[in-house]
Amino acid sequence: PKSDDPVFFEDHEQYLLPYISPYHSSFFRFHSDASSSFFELPFYLQNSCFHHDYIVRFRSVPFMQKSMMANELREAGNRNFNQGLYRKAYMNYEHSIGIFVYVELHKDNSFELFQSPEEDPREEKVRKGLLLQSLLNMAICLIKMRNFEECRKCLDDSLMLSPYNLRAKAIRAMNILYNKASKLFDLNLAREDASRAAEVHPEYQRLLELIDDRIHREYGKECKFYTKFFKEVKCYSGIKPASNYEFEHTVIKKLHQEYIDMLKYYSDTEEVFSKVSEESKDVQKVLVKMNWIAELSPHKPSMLMARHASVEGVNLESNTIDDAFEGAKRVMICRAFNKGKYNKRILYKNIQEALQEFEQRPQKVEFNEEEEYW
């Protein structure tokens, strides 16, 4: 039975989860052999190397058979999506695309990308239409699975096929909206996409309203942050900070990477995966905040930063502003670090590793066995 393609949906803002390929064991085997550029490809192209022979044989059949199979796989993906089986739906869409666009690995560690364009203009139009539908449906699945980076790659490819496609732009806006790591600048770009889509398709008006609400909230958060930040900047005016924030930042980056590795390892164990996923959210929240603070510069101020600096009487062109900024960033990053809720065992392990990296003598850290969290 036919099933309509996924349309606009309302979801909750979430932090990114790593995309875990169903072929990750094969990737592990090929990791040392394949060229580094292979791993820069979107996952749907990487995965096409390992598609089943049943799918592979359709790559060399006449166009009519190719298109029928690709459409059947897309319809199966739609049914799985409507049942909430997003991982299965993603695989259906990926295999639908893999009939027309795929990668082959060679024995000399090189790879080749096959696009298989059709000579008949009518067939080529159908091919592009099927590819576009599956790419956009796959992008929505990736939003549902909280993999915003892979979603962005799918949308980039879909907009190469159809640069003015409003549905693609609306999904791109959704991808930014539901990613809690999105910055105010990104949200304003998302608003432009949603506004264009809503002008033609009224169903995207709700998306525009959600983006406006998120922009309003983020604006409020940044205003509160800059008020506190420039108070610290004034405290450090003319004072060179004794240390920087690199150590705390390194600890959280290492902690975040460890959680990504754990999520991949426990991907087939639902209960443990869920627990690790919840713990990782707190770490990711701290890391996103730290990354944002670390990027602040008096030489490239946003309009909001410049306005707050003016209100607080801070001269962003002062000779001592760099030291004052570094001191304030140090304070704000330490505060972000201290507000985090961490698994103490994993935290202390990464503190020890970071100490070794900084060529400091490792400190023995004591903690109460009964307390699981920081």
Side-chain angles (χ1 to χ4, degrees):
K2 288 189 176 182
S3 181
D4 293 333
D5 293 296
V7 291
F8 172 70
F9 62 89
E10 288 195 37
D11 209 347
H12 299 291
E13 295 163 27
Q14 294 281 359
Y15 286 107
L16 173 113
L17 271 178
Y19 172 73
I20 302 163
S21 168
Y23 307 105
H24 62 271
S25 58
S26 299
F27 281 128
F28 179 77
R29 197 168 70 243
F30 282 98
H31 197 279
S32 59
D33 299 326
S35 74
S36 58
S37 56
F38 172 79
F39 294 100
E40 295 171 4
L41 294 170
F43 264 108
Y44 76 89
L45 288 177
Q46 293 183 31
N47 289 345
S48 66
C49 294
F50 310 106
H51 284 175
H52 193 275
D53 288 344
Y54 180 78
I55 298 297
V56 171
R57 69 186 179 91
F58 278 95
R59 294 171 181 171
S60 56
V61 300
F63 177 77
M64 183 61 73
Q65 290 176 260
K66 276 187 190 178
S67 59
M68 286 177 64
M69 175 51 68
N71 195 53
E72 281 184 31
L73 286 165
R74 182 183 64 83
E75 293 285 355
N78 294 346
R79 290 191 289 274
N80 281 320
F81 183 93
N82 292 332
Q83 293 173 36
L85 304 172
Y86 305 122
R87 190 168 293 279
K88 282 187 176 181
Y90 173 90
M91 288 298 295
N92 290 138
Y93 299 135
E94 179 191 281
H95 283 77
S96 175
I97 293 167
I99 290 175
F100 295 113
V101 181
Y102 55 92
V103 167
E104 286 187 359
L105 284 172
H106 300 306
K107 291 182 180 179
D108 62 354
N109 298 340
S110 64
F111 68 89
E112 190 173 358
L113 175 62
F114 293 89
Q115 307 251 13
S116 65
E118 302 298 328
E119 293 182 3
D120 186 324
R122 290 174 298 178
E123 291 181 352
E124 178 61 9
K125 185 178 179 180
V126 172
R127 184 188 80 94
K128 283 187 175 180
L130 286 169
L131 281 174
L132 182 63
Q133 286 177 313
S134 290
L135 277 168
L136 295 180
N137 294 353
M138 190 161 61
I140 293 180
C141 286
L142 286 164
I143 296 174
K144 285 288 190 181
M145 295 191 292
R146 293 162 48 193
N147 193 276
F148 307 109
E149 180 59 25
E150 280 302 310
C151 178
R152 183 190 61 76
K153 292 178 183 178
C154 287
L155 292 169
D156 287 347
D157 288 350
S158 65
L159 285 166
M160 286 178 68
L161 285 170
S162 179
Y164 304 105
N165 189 287
L166 291 176
R167 184 171 177 239
K169 291 184 176 182
I171 296 170
R172 184 167 66 179
M174 288 182 208
N175 190 48
I176 294 171
L177 169 64
Y178 297 130
N179 182 0
K180 288 192 79 169
S182 295
K183 300 175 184 176
L184 200 53
F185 175 78
D186 302 317
L187 290 163
N188 283 317
L189 292 179
R191 193 189 187 286
E192 290 180 18
D193 282 339
S195 180
R196 290 194 194 101
E199 286 175 6
V200 180
H201 303 288
E203 63 267 26
Y204 292 124
Q205 188 63 40
R206 176 59 180 159
L207 174 63
L208 186 59
E209 292 170 5
L210 290 171
I211 292 173
D212 283 339
D213 179 62
R214 174 83 187 275
I215 288 173
H216 179 73
R217 284 186 283 120
E218 293 298 324
Y219 186 86
K221 286 179 188 176
E222 287 199 22
C223 284
K224 287 180 182 178
F225 171 83
Y226 283 129
T227 300
K228 295 175 183 176
F229 180 75
F230 282 112
K231 284 180 181 177
E232 297 297 335
V233 168
K234 287 193 285 188
C235 290
Y236 277 92
S237 180
I239 303 173
K240 189 173 180 66
S243 62
N244 62 24
Y245 48 80
E246 192 177 351
F247 178 74
E248 289 85 352
H249 202 183
T250 300
V251 170
I252 295 300
K253 284 191 282 189
K254 290 174 73 64
L255 195 60
H256 178 246
Q257 185 57 50
E258 182 148 354
Y259 271 105
I260 287 177
D261 294 339
M262 289 168 65
L263 286 166
K264 291 178 179 176
Y265 183 80
Y266 292 114
S267 60
D268 297 326
T269 314
E270 187 175 343
E271 186 176 344
V272 179
F273 181 88
S274 178
K275 184 176 185 297
V276 172
S277 176
E278 285 302 310
E279 287 185 11
S280 73
K281 287 180 184 177
D282 290 303
V283 175
Q284 202 165 9
K285 180 180 180 180
V286 174
L287 181 61
V288 166
K289 185 71 175 285
M290 282 186 170
N291 287 341
W292 183 71
I293 296 171
E295 290 173 4
L296 294 178
S297 168
H299 309 296
K300 295 180 181 178
S302 65
M303 288 180 62
L304 193 58
M305 181 199 285
R307 196 180 306 154
H308 275 268
S310 177
V311 168
E312 294 292 335
V314 175
N315 181 7
L316 295 179
E317 296 179 358
S318 164
N319 293 332
T320 59
I321 193 64
D322 287 323
D323 287 343
F325 250 64
E326 290 305 300
K329 284 158 73 171
R330 163 77 173 152
V331 171
M332 302 307 284
I333 278 184
C334 284
R335 286 180 185 171
F337 181 87
N338 291 333
K339 284 182 180 179
K341 184 181 179 184
Y342 311 110
N343 183 305
K344 292 177 69 174
R345 290 182 183 276
I346 303 174
L347 175 65
Y348 292 152
K349 172 180 173 289
N350 284 279
I351 287 175
Q352 296 287 2
E353 289 178 4
L355 284 169
Q356 289 174 3
E357 283 185 14
F358 278 75
E359 297 181 348
Q360 297 180 16
R361 185 175 178 180
Q363 304 278 331
K364 185 177 179 182
V365 187
E366 302 288 346
F367 66 93
N368 188 336
E369 294 280 351
E370 296 178 359
E371 295 178 3
E372 185 178 3
Y373 293 100
W374 178 267

